Amino acid sequence: MEGLSGIDLVITSKDVFAKRKEGFLDEAYQMALELMKNPQPDEWDIKAFAWCIISLIKRDASQGHPQNLPDYSQQLENLNFDPSDEVLTKKKTRFENGFTNNRDTNH
């Protein structure tokens, strides 16, 4: 990412999480894509990307915009992260099992 002065800015997973929490999902997703271009993204880069995808799936499903859901779902399915992160693992499993078409009623 290049700043206004032409200096390259380093994007971190913290930046992605912050942008997502501010509600700028599309920008957070683009930032997370940049993180994932790293040949060896770290655990937090992967988590930031996963949470962006989850938020985008929720947003697009709730707003009746299903066109990107297959791509988002595939990206989420392809991610590998520590299964000890139970919250993220449950969310990923829920989406892999068709959450977008069948709302989870367990929570």
Side-chain angles (χ1 to χ4, degrees), residues 59-71:
R59 181 195 69 188
D60 287 4
S62 70
Q63 293 180 355
H65 300 290
Q67 62 272 19
N68 292 324
L69 297 180
D71 186 44

Side-chain angles (χ1 to χ4, degrees), residues 10-104:
V10 177
I11 298 170
T12 68
S13 57
K14 286 182 181 183
D15 298 327
V16 174
F17 281 116
K19 189 64 75 174
R20 181 180 145 262
K21 287 196 179 248
E22 291 170 4
F24 298 107
L25 296 180
D26 295 306
E27 287 115 344
Y29 176 69
Q30 292 303 316
M31 292 166 65
L33 284 172
E34 289 298 315
L35 287 177
M36 296 304 290
K37 288 180 182 177
N38 182 336
Q40 294 181 331
D42 72 22
E43 175 185 358
W44 286 103
D45 294 345
I46 295 168
K47 287 181 181 188
F49 186 53
W51 283 112
C52 282
I53 295 169
I54 289 167
S55 293
L56 288 166
I57 290 171
K58 287 180 179 181
R59 181 195 69 188
D60 287 4
S62 70
Q63 293 180 355
H65 300 290
Q67 62 272 19
N68 292 324
L69 297 180
D71 186 44
Y72 292 148
S73 295
Q74 186 65 49
Q75 289 177 35
L76 187 60
E77 186 177 323
N78 290 338
L79 291 178
N80 293 313
F81 48 82
D82 186 351
S84 69
D85 185 331
E86 292 181 18
V87 174
L88 189 53
T89 300
K90 285 180 184 178
K91 291 282 187 183
K92 180 181 178 187
T93 301
R94 206 160 84 180
F95 284 110
E96 289 174 352
N97 291 332
F99 173 75
T100 56
N101 295 322
N102 183 16
R103 295 276 176 184
D104 183 10

